[in-house]
Protein backbone atom coordinates (compact mmCIF):
# COMPACT_ATOMS: atom_id res chain seq x y z
CA UNK A 1 0.00 0.00 0.00
CA UNK A 2 1.26 3.44 -0.86
CA UNK A 3 0.47 6.87 0.58
CA UNK A 4 -2.44 7.35 -1.83
CA UNK A 5 -4.06 4.13 -0.60
CA UNK A 6 -3.75 5.47 2.94
CA UNK A 7 -5.32 8.78 1.91
CA UNK A 8 -8.23 6.89 0.34
CA UNK A 9 -8.63 4.78 3.49
CA UNK A 10 -8.60 7.89 5.67
CA UNK A 11 -11.37 9.50 3.62
CA UNK A 12 -13.45 6.31 3.47
CA UNK A 13 -13.10 5.70 7.20
CA UNK A 14 -14.33 9.24 7.82
CA UNK A 15 -17.28 8.80 5.42
CA UNK A 16 -17.77 5.47 3.62
CA UNK A 17 -20.71 6.94 1.69
CA UNK A 18 -18.51 9.20 -0.45
CA UNK A 19 -19.03 8.81 -4.18
CA UNK A 20 -16.01 7.98 -6.31
CA UNK A 21 -16.28 11.48 -7.80
CA UNK A 22 -16.15 13.17 -4.38
CA UNK A 23 -13.41 10.85 -3.19
CA UNK A 24 -11.40 11.61 -6.35
CA UNK A 25 -11.83 15.35 -5.77
CA UNK A 26 -10.57 15.04 -2.20
CA UNK A 27 -7.43 13.05 -3.08
CA UNK A 28 -6.76 14.78 -6.43
CA UNK A 29 -7.08 11.73 -8.69
CA UNK A 30 -9.52 10.80 -11.45
CA UNK A 31 -12.69 8.94 -10.49
CA UNK A 32 -11.74 5.84 -12.56
CA UNK A 33 -8.34 5.71 -10.84
CA UNK A 34 -9.98 6.02 -7.42
CA UNK A 35 -12.52 3.30 -8.29
CA UNK A 36 -9.75 0.93 -9.37
CA UNK A 37 -7.71 1.58 -6.23
CA UNK A 38 -10.75 1.06 -3.98
CA UNK A 39 -11.62 -2.18 -5.82
CA UNK A 40 -8.04 -3.37 -5.29
CA UNK A 41 -8.22 -2.55 -1.57
CA UNK A 42 -11.51 -4.47 -1.35
CA UNK A 43 -10.17 -7.47 -3.31
CA UNK A 44 -7.06 -7.70 -1.10
CA UNK A 45 -9.20 -7.62 2.06
CA UNK A 46 -7.84 -4.29 3.34
CA UNK A 47 -11.37 -2.92 3.07
CA UNK A 48 -13.53 -5.65 4.56
CA UNK A 49 -16.92 -3.95 4.32
CA UNK A 50 -18.97 -0.82 4.74
CA UNK A 51 -21.07 -0.45 7.86
CA UNK A 52 -23.23 2.00 9.75
CA UNK A 53 -21.99 2.76 13.27
CA UNK A 54 -25.02 2.10 15.48
CA UNK A 55 -25.15 3.32 19.08
CA UNK A 56 -26.37 0.22 21.00
CA UNK A 57 -27.82 2.27 23.87
CA UNK A 58 -29.95 4.31 21.43
CA UNK A 59 -31.01 1.17 19.58
CA UNK A 60 -32.50 -0.44 22.69
CA UNK A 61 -29.41 -2.21 24.08
CA UNK A 62 -28.17 0.07 26.88
CA UNK A 63 -26.55 -2.67 28.99
CA UNK A 64 -23.07 -3.35 27.66
CA UNK A 65 -20.29 -5.51 29.05
CA UNK A 66 -16.91 -6.98 28.30
CA UNK A 67 -16.82 -10.69 29.12
CA UNK A 68 -13.70 -12.83 29.35
CA UNK A 69 -14.33 -16.55 29.01
CA UNK A 70 -12.26 -19.26 30.67
CA UNK A 71 -13.02 -22.29 28.53
CA UNK A 72 -10.71 -24.71 26.81
CA UNK A 73 -10.99 -27.99 24.97
CA UNK A 74 -14.01 -29.42 23.22
CA UNK A 75 -16.55 -27.27 25.13
CA UNK A 76 -14.77 -24.01 24.28
CA UNK A 77 -16.99 -21.16 23.14
CA UNK A 78 -14.74 -20.61 20.13
CA UNK A 79 -15.47 -24.13 18.83
CA UNK A 80 -19.21 -23.49 18.48
CA UNK A 81 -19.97 -21.69 15.18
CA UNK A 82 -23.51 -20.89 16.39
CA UNK A 83 -22.05 -18.51 18.97
CA UNK A 84 -21.12 -16.16 16.12
CA UNK A 85 -24.83 -15.70 15.39
CA UNK A 86 -25.85 -14.68 18.92
CA UNK A 87 -27.31 -11.18 18.66
CA UNK A 88 -25.94 -10.13 22.06
CA UNK A 89 -22.32 -10.48 20.89
CA UNK A 90 -21.00 -7.37 19.15
CA UNK A 91 -17.35 -8.44 19.01
CA UNK A 92 -15.50 -11.65 19.80
CA UNK A 93 -11.75 -12.03 20.23
CA UNK A 94 -9.50 -15.04 20.76
CA UNK A 95 -6.99 -13.84 23.34
CA UNK A 96 -3.85 -14.78 25.23
CA UNK A 97 -3.42 -14.47 28.98
CA UNK A 98 -6.26 -15.06 31.41
CA UNK A 99 -9.05 -16.70 29.46
CA UNK A 100 -9.34 -17.92 25.91
CA UNK A 101 -11.74 -15.34 24.51
CA UNK A 102 -13.12 -11.90 25.21
CA UNK A 103 -16.36 -10.55 23.88
CA UNK A 104 -18.28 -7.32 23.89
CA UNK A 105 -21.99 -7.77 24.54
CA UNK A 106 -24.98 -5.44 24.36
CA UNK A 107 -28.43 -6.34 25.71
CA UNK A 108 -31.68 -4.52 26.51
CA UNK A 109 -31.71 -5.10 30.29
CA UNK A 110 -29.93 -6.59 33.29
CA UNK A 111 -32.34 -9.52 33.14
CA UNK A 112 -31.28 -10.15 29.54
CA UNK A 113 -27.63 -9.89 30.61
CA UNK A 114 -28.20 -12.44 33.36
CA UNK A 115 -29.72 -14.86 30.83
CA UNK A 116 -26.82 -14.22 28.47
CA UNK A 117 -24.27 -14.99 31.21
CA UNK A 118 -26.17 -18.19 32.07
CA UNK A 119 -26.00 -19.20 28.40
CA UNK A 120 -22.26 -18.50 28.29
CA UNK A 121 -21.68 -20.53 31.47
CA UNK A 122 -22.39 -23.72 29.51
CA UNK A 123 -19.00 -23.19 27.84
CA UNK A 124 -16.91 -22.31 30.87
CA UNK A 125 -16.50 -19.54 33.42
CA UNK A 126 -17.51 -16.05 32.26
CA UNK A 127 -16.02 -12.99 34.01
CA UNK A 128 -17.78 -9.77 33.15
CA UNK A 129 -17.15 -6.07 33.53
CA UNK A 130 -19.96 -3.63 32.82
CA UNK A 131 -19.31 -0.77 30.41
CA UNK A 132 -19.90 2.55 32.16
CA UNK A 133 -19.00 4.81 29.24
CA UNK A 134 -17.08 4.70 25.99
CA UNK A 135 -14.67 7.65 25.70
CA UNK A 136 -13.40 6.32 22.34
CA UNK A 137 -16.19 4.76 20.31
CA UNK A 138 -14.13 3.98 17.24
CA UNK A 139 -10.73 4.83 15.83
CA UNK A 140 -9.63 4.65 12.20
CA UNK A 141 -6.72 2.49 11.15
CA UNK A 142 -3.80 4.70 10.17
CA UNK A 143 -0.48 4.17 8.45
CA UNK A 144 2.17 2.84 10.82
CA UNK A 145 4.95 5.29 11.51
CA UNK A 146 8.46 4.23 10.60
CA UNK A 147 10.61 3.52 13.67
CA UNK A 148 13.19 6.20 14.50
Amino acid sequence: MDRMDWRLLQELQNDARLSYNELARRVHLSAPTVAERVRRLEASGVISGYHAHVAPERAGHPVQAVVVMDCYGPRCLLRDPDVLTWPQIRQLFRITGDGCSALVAAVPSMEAFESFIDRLARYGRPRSSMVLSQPLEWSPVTEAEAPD
Side-chain angles (χ1 to χ4, degrees):
M1 288 187 8
D2 62 16
R3 288 218 182 270
M4 184 54 64
D5 289 337
W6 281 107
R7 286 184 63 200
L8 290 167
L9 289 173
Q10 179 183 8
E11 292 293 340
L12 287 171
Q13 288 180 98
N14 287 335
D15 185 357
R17 294 172 32 157
L18 290 175
S19 69
Y20 287 142
N21 287 334
E22 178 60 21
L23 189 53
R25 186 188 69 71
R26 291 183 184 196
V27 299
H28 309 293
L29 290 176
S30 70
T33 300
V34 163
E36 178 55 35
R37 281 180 169 263
V38 169
R39 279 193 287 276
R40 188 170 30 89
L41 290 167
E42 291 168 344
S44 67
V46 172
I47 296 175
S48 61
Y50 300 89
H51 313 277
H53 289 276
V54 176
E57 65 282 358
R58 294 183 183 254
H61 295 86
V63 177
Q64 297 177 67
V66 176
V67 181
V68 175
M69 289 296 297
D70 288 325
C71 57
Y72 298 96
R75 288 189 32 217
C76 181
L77 177 84
L78 297 171
R79 294 184 183 270
D80 185 348
D82 290 337
V83 168
L84 301 177
T85 67
W86 293 9
Q88 302 90 345
I89 300 176
R90 297 190 52 228
Q91 294 179 292
L92 177 60
F93 304 94
R94 183 176 182 192
I95 61 171
T96 62
D98 293 334
C100 68
S101 60
L103 57 92
V104 178
V107 294
S109 66
M110 285 306 290
E111 292 81 16
F113 184 69
E114 185 176 359
S115 295
F116 176 65
I117 288 295
D118 289 345
R119 190 173 181 193
L120 285 173
R122 292 184 234 155
Y123 296 92
R125 184 173 67 97
R127 288 178 287 127
S128 62
S129 296
M130 303 310 293
V131 173
L132 300 176
S133 67
Q134 192 173 1
L136 178 63
E137 290 184 25
W138 176 83
S139 179
V141 176
T142 59
E143 185 174 11
E145 293 183 18
D148 292 331

